[in-house]
Amino acid sequence: MNKINAIILAAGKGARMNSTKPKVLQALSDKTLLQHVLIQAQQLCSQVFVVYGFGGEQVQQAINDDSIKWVQQVEQLGTGHAVVQAMPQINNDSISLILYGDVPLIEQSTLKKLIAQAEKQGVALLSVILDNPTGYGRILRKNGKIQAIIEQKDANIEQIAISEVNTGIMAVNSGLLKVYLDKLDTNNAQGELYLTDIIAMAVADGKIIASVIADNEFEVAGVNDKVQLAELERVFQKNQATKFMQNGLTLKDPLRFDCRGTLSFGQDCEIDVNVLIKGDVSLGDNTLIASNCILKNAKIGNNVAILPNSIIEDAIIGDGASIGPFARIRPDSNIGEDAKIGNFVEVKKSTIGKGSKVSHLSYIGDTTMGRAVNIGAGVITCNYDGVNKHQTIIGDGVFVGSDSQLIAPVTLGKNATIGAGSTITKDSPEGRLTLSRSKQISLKNWNKPIKKN
């Protein structure tokens, strides 16, 4: 195989995005448009050139990859002019693969076909059949062989009716490409150097243009505005969902599922509607993720139930645990086996022991909790003194009554009981009942307030 050079055209401003960011830095799932293209290019090519223009410094900083060769296109004078900028650094005995930074869903299998054809014929072109080809350059054929590409603004009525269009993606012998680029002129409606004009030049030289037709329209779809970006986002998510289901994941509605990261899962896992996966998430066997949950960088064990409207971030959930509904597990939390984190409970930077329960309306922060602990409703660990965070230690078998405050730093000994409504400021001994309440009184001369007119 010849040496392969990717030339990714990424100089456009993308004015229709109405954004301060260059078009190629708009996000599709968890990556920029350009990053999606780079992933494919770097897996196939020995060198990757990115031709940048508008916001070039911003693009380079966002990508932050020293292996990329950055090439500036000071003036945007057309696709041919953009490719010319990279050619001085490319050897003749190689293949140049032309890609676009705003065409993010091109598949590696398609590019491999294109490169293989270029190695045989010297010039290979990727096209696609569209029901509505408006705006695209049309592929002109004679006896089935490609003769040229005509841009819509330069096409006649008969040519405009053609449904096979140019994607702009091509693979060309680099030596040939340099020869043809030198011959380009601006004799067209746009007054630019069209890369597509090299096809007619190659045909005039007696070259056969190898043809690869994309199987999927989404592979070659470009992004010019936020509407098209949203449309491709849904295609991307649907494709991911299909792969997950083929590998055994149950999705109640694949059209209402988003994975903006990586997801691994065991057998018999089920995900309900409107679940968002971010970062790196793994699910064990027989795990249920109910509707409206957000999981980010979470490791979730076997036989776990994540109930509706719960958020888990940078945390570990042990086998058999139950989380939610409406629970929030914040970073650096480790929920033990068979533990229960219930309604409207927030856990932050804490370890919850096996079989412990925090069932409702509580905040547990900077806490190490043992096994079989029962935390009543409305309990909070007061871990912040306004300057520093402090630890709460709760031993095995502790029972904390409802509406209690644990003022850290504090330790509750094994099998201690905290009476409801207590404010605990000192360590509680093992096996003892600890409580703090003022004496209850009833006032004889008190009158209930009357509403004023």
Side-chain angles (χ1 to χ4, degrees):
M1 178 180 285
N2 293 323
K3 188 175 182 180
I4 312 299
N5 304 286
I7 304 173
I8 303 175
L9 308 189
K13 181 178 180 179
R16 282 181 280 174
M17 287 290 180
N18 292 308
S19 171
T20 58
K21 295 187 294 187
K23 178 166 65 170
V24 295
L25 293 187
Q26 301 296 321
L28 177 72
S29 185
D30 61 332
K31 299 178 181 66
T32 66
L33 298 177
L34 180 54
Q35 284 175 317
H36 283 279
V37 183
L38 283 169
I39 288 171
Q40 303 299 345
Q42 290 175 324
Q43 291 177 357
L44 289 172
C45 303
S46 53
Q47 292 189 108
V48 176
F49 297 84
V50 175
V51 181
Y52 68 90
F54 174 78
E57 183 177 345
Q58 191 177 353
V59 174
Q60 293 179 63
Q61 289 177 349
I63 300 301
N64 191 27
D65 187 338
D66 292 336
S67 70
I68 294 171
K69 298 182 182 300
W70 298 93
V71 181
Q72 186 177 18
Q73 185 186 19
V74 178
E75 295 182 273
Q76 278 72 65
L77 302 178
T79 51
H81 179 258
V83 174
V84 165
Q85 310 310 305
M87 297 313 295
Q89 301 182 60
I90 294 177
N91 294 330
N92 290 353
D93 58 342
S94 66
I95 297 294
S96 290
L97 175 65
I98 314 300
L99 300 170
Y100 295 82
D102 60 354
V103 182
L105 300 188
I106 185 67
E107 295 190 349
Q108 192 173 134
S109 57
T110 300
L111 295 179
K112 285 181 176 179
K113 292 177 186 177
L114 193 68
I115 291 168
Q117 289 297 320
E119 290 176 329
K120 292 178 183 178
Q121 303 290 354
V123 182
L125 181 68
L126 182 65
S127 64
V128 66
I129 308 296
L130 297 180
D131 292 334
N132 180 11
T134 302
Y136 291 91
R138 308 306 202 272
I139 303 294
L140 304 184
R141 292 180 181 264
K142 184 177 181 180
N143 298 323
K145 295 181 179 179
I146 295 176
Q147 302 297 303
I149 300 169
I150 185 78
E151 297 300 324
Q152 176 160 313
K153 292 180 180 179
D154 302 305
N156 59 36
I157 294 176
E158 183 180 344
Q159 292 166 338
I160 285 175
I162 296 170
S163 59
E164 183 183 10
V165 303
N166 172 43
T167 67
I169 296 171
M170 62 179 73
V172 187
N173 174 276
S174 299
L176 280 176
L177 182 57
K178 289 179 181 180
V179 171
Y180 297 142
L181 289 172
D182 285 342
K183 298 179 181 179
L184 291 178
D185 60 44
T186 57
N187 186 25
N188 52 61
Q190 293 287 88
E192 295 182 347
L193 298 177
Y194 289 161
L195 179 63
T196 50
D197 287 347
I198 73 168
I199 300 301
M201 294 179 189
V203 171
D205 278 351
K207 302 289 183 185
I208 295 175
I209 309 301
S211 173
V212 176
I213 300 176
D215 294 329
N216 305 299
E217 185 176 333
F218 67 77
E219 283 191 71
V220 296
V223 177
N224 293 305
D225 57 32
K226 295 292 177 66
V227 174
Q228 292 175 336
L229 184 63
E231 290 170 349
L232 275 196
E233 176 74 34
R234 191 44 40 204
V235 170
F236 179 82
Q237 295 298 344
K238 183 180 178 182
N239 291 345
Q240 282 196 117
T242 298
K243 291 176 182 176
F244 291 148
M245 290 187 292
Q246 289 170 341
N247 288 322
L249 179 64
T250 297
L251 293 175
K252 288 298 187 180
D253 185 349
L255 295 180
R256 289 187 285 170
F257 166 81
D258 288 83
C259 178
R260 300 176 193 162
T262 59
L263 173 65
S264 61
F265 48 87
Q267 292 185 315
D268 299 311
C269 290
E270 181 179 305
I271 297 181
D272 211 329
V273 301
N274 300 327
V275 169
L276 172 59
I277 304 295
K278 302 178 74 174
D280 187 8
V281 173
S282 65
L283 310 178
D285 297 332
N286 301 300
T287 284
L288 166 69
I289 312 298
S291 59
N292 306 315
C293 291
I294 300 174
L295 310 181
K296 180 180 180 182
N297 297 323
K299 183 178 181 181
I300 297 173
N302 303 317
N303 304 302
V304 172
I306 309 297
L307 301 178
N309 302 289
S310 296
I311 300 173
I312 301 172
E313 180 179 359
D314 294 295
I316 297 172
I317 312 298
D319 295 347
S322 174
I323 308 295
F326 292 97
R328 184 183 180 195
I329 311 300
R330 290 171 57 188
D332 299 319
S333 294
N334 189 330
I335 310 302
E337 295 179 26
D338 302 316
K340 179 181 179 182
I341 307 298
N343 304 266
F344 302 101
V345 172
E346 180 179 354
V347 179
K348 172 252 178 188
K349 203 174 184 179
S350 297
T351 298
I352 308 298
K354 181 177 180 179
S356 291
K357 298 178 180 180
V358 189
S359 295
H360 4 251
L361 303 162
S362 296
Y363 169 70
I364 305 297
D366 295 288
T367 297
T368 300
M369 183 183 298
R371 297 182 170 211
V373 172
N374 192 316
I375 302 294
V379 171
I380 63 171
T381 56
C382 304
N383 56 329
Y384 185 49
D385 64 7
V387 178
N388 299 304
K389 299 290 179 69
H390 300 281
Q391 288 284 318
T392 297
I393 309 298
I394 302 176
D396 295 343
V398 168
F399 179 92
V400 180
S402 297
D403 198 28
S404 294
Q405 301 87 46
L406 309 180
I407 313 299
V410 69
T411 297
L412 309 185
K414 185 177 180 180
N415 296 317
T417 295
I418 305 300
S422 295
T423 299
I424 303 301
T425 60
K426 299 177 182 178
D427 292 351
S428 174
E430 291 187 15
R432 301 284 294 273
L433 170 63
T434 300
L435 68 163
S436 64
R437 300 173 184 163
S438 62
K439 182 178 179 181
Q440 181 174 317
I441 60 174
S442 297
L443 300 178
K444 294 181 179 180
N445 298 322
W446 178 82
N447 292 313
K448 185 177 180 179
I450 299 173
K451 186 177 181 179
K452 296 179 179 181
N453 292 329

